[in-house]
Amino acid sequence: MLKEINWKYVKENRYDLAILPWGATEAHNYQLPFGTDVIECDYIAEESAGIAWNNGVKVIVLPTIPFGVNTQQLDIPLTINMNPSTQAFVLRDVVDSLNGQGIKKLIVLNGHGGNDFKQMIREISSDYTDFFLGQVNWYVVEKNWSDFFEDVGDHAGEMETSIMLNIIPDWVLPKDQWGDGASKKLKFKAREEGWLWAPREWTKVSNDTGIGNPEKATVEKGEKFLYSILLKLANLYKEITETRIDDIYE
Ligand SMILES: [Zn+2]
């Protein structure tokens, strides 16, 4: 964790891969803190990199960027939006800094559904051709949420509440204060069939800002889900660091 180490330590070690966790600052139903996406990113990055480091992988976790794309939630007080265009500048500066120092591999570990770095990565990568830049949305590392959770919501629901009960239970409100995360969807049939996407105006689709019912969230469910994600991520870091940038295809 870069925020914890000093120049003496940095000087004496080598770093083959950097992780840039990227969160958001937004409401998460009544029960979870505004920093939920940052807390999740911090935890998942630290723990997964820790497993990898203990297996000899030279990975460094950069400080989590706390602001995400929240353009559809600005009517909720203290939601802080960072536009995609700003994010692109931030990402480019991070890549440029690392590239100049010879650290040529970077994974953006994204923890917020409104963030999407793919197009930025396409653009930046064309200017840094010997640099490996990729994105992982940690919440899809385990794609089959229904293997872990009963109500597959997508924001401050059973999954995120279970995870936060693991990471920082004192910051989760008592259960009698949880909202039900009921939400509305776009009317169009194409959305139901999954081929139309449009952003959601948050206060029009959810009363409590949650999407998905957290009611059946438990520490045990969160632990099982997290454990699986951490191991897969640690393995990815190992594979990336063991592979030369000019030899990444098979
Ligand atoms: Zn979240």
Side-chain angles (χ1 to χ4, degrees):
M1 298 292 282
L2 180 56
K3 69 183 176 192
E4 296 173 9
I5 60 177
N6 48 48
W7 172 226
K8 181 169 164 35
Y9 190 87
V10 167
K11 234 169 87 172
E12 289 162 3
N13 281 279
R14 187 185 86 236
Y15 301 95
D16 297 331
L17 169 67
I19 308 297
L20 180 64
W22 207 309
T25 299
E26 60 175 356
H28 274 76
N29 201 326
Y30 297 128
Q31 74 272 8
L32 303 181
F34 268 56
T36 292
D37 288 353
V38 175
I39 293 163
E40 290 166 345
C41 273
D42 274 343
Y43 179 87
I44 290 166
E46 176 167 6
E47 295 296 318
S48 59
I51 296 168
W53 185 269
N54 290 333
N55 283 319
V57 179
K58 299 295 181 190
V59 55
I60 184 78
V61 177
L62 307 182
T64 301
I65 310 277
F67 302 132
V69 179
N70 280 98
T71 40
Q72 270 68 42
Q73 301 183 28
L74 285 168
D75 53 343
I76 302 169
L78 295 179
T79 301
I80 308 297
N81 170 55
M82 185 187 276
N83 280 322
S85 48
T86 314
Q87 290 184 323
F89 281 117
V90 173
L91 182 58
R92 182 176 282 273
D93 284 354
V94 173
V95 169
D96 196 60
S97 302
L98 294 173
N99 183 61
Q101 297 150 9
I103 299 166
K104 298 277 188 176
K105 292 171 178 168
L106 175 67
I107 291 290
V108 180
L109 185 68
N110 176 43
H112 171 62
N115 293 341
D116 189 355
F117 299 94
K118 271 196 206 167
Q119 299 302 79
M120 305 172 198
I121 289 173
R122 289 182 199 278
E123 187 173 329
I124 295 168
S125 293
S126 71
D127 293 331
Y128 295 88
T129 48
D130 65 340
F131 193 102
F132 179 79
L133 178 58
Q135 162 180 325
V136 169
N137 293 327
W138 66 254
Y139 44 87
V140 297
V141 171
E142 271 298 348
K143 274 200 169 103
N144 297 322
W145 284 18
S146 52
D147 293 348
F148 295 85
F149 305 104
E150 290 164 67
D151 186 284
V152 186
D154 69 15
H155 181 74
E158 189 178 320
M159 186 276 274
E160 275 196 299
T161 305
S162 297
I163 282 188
M164 290 297 280
L165 285 171
N166 272 267
I167 302 176
I168 193 157
D170 290 352
W171 290 16
V172 180
L173 281 182
K175 196 165 181 179
D176 60 358
Q177 295 174 58
W178 299 3
D180 64 8
S183 65
K184 293 179 187 164
K185 290 173 178 158
L186 273 178
K187 287 176 175 171
F188 314 118
K189 190 160 176 272
R191 197 226 55 89
E192 193 63 43
E193 292 174 2
W195 50 278
L196 168 72
W197 175 88
R200 294 169 285 190
E201 287 180 72
W202 225 255
T203 50
K204 287 188 183 158
V205 299
S206 170
N207 285 328
D208 52 30
T209 78
I211 291 181
N213 194 340
E215 194 192 348
K216 300 224 166 95
T218 67
V219 176
E220 293 74 25
K221 286 177 184 171
E223 196 176 353
K224 204 174 145 205
F225 189 62
L226 278 171
Y227 184 67
S228 173
I229 290 173
L230 298 179
L231 291 184
K232 284 190 178 189
L233 283 171
N235 192 51
L236 171 69
Y237 306 156
K238 190 170 193 300
E239 279 188 288
I240 291 175
T241 54
E242 284 173 350
T243 307
R244 289 200 336 259
I245 291 169
D246 61 1
D247 186 31
I248 57 172
Y249 303 109
E250 61 180 7

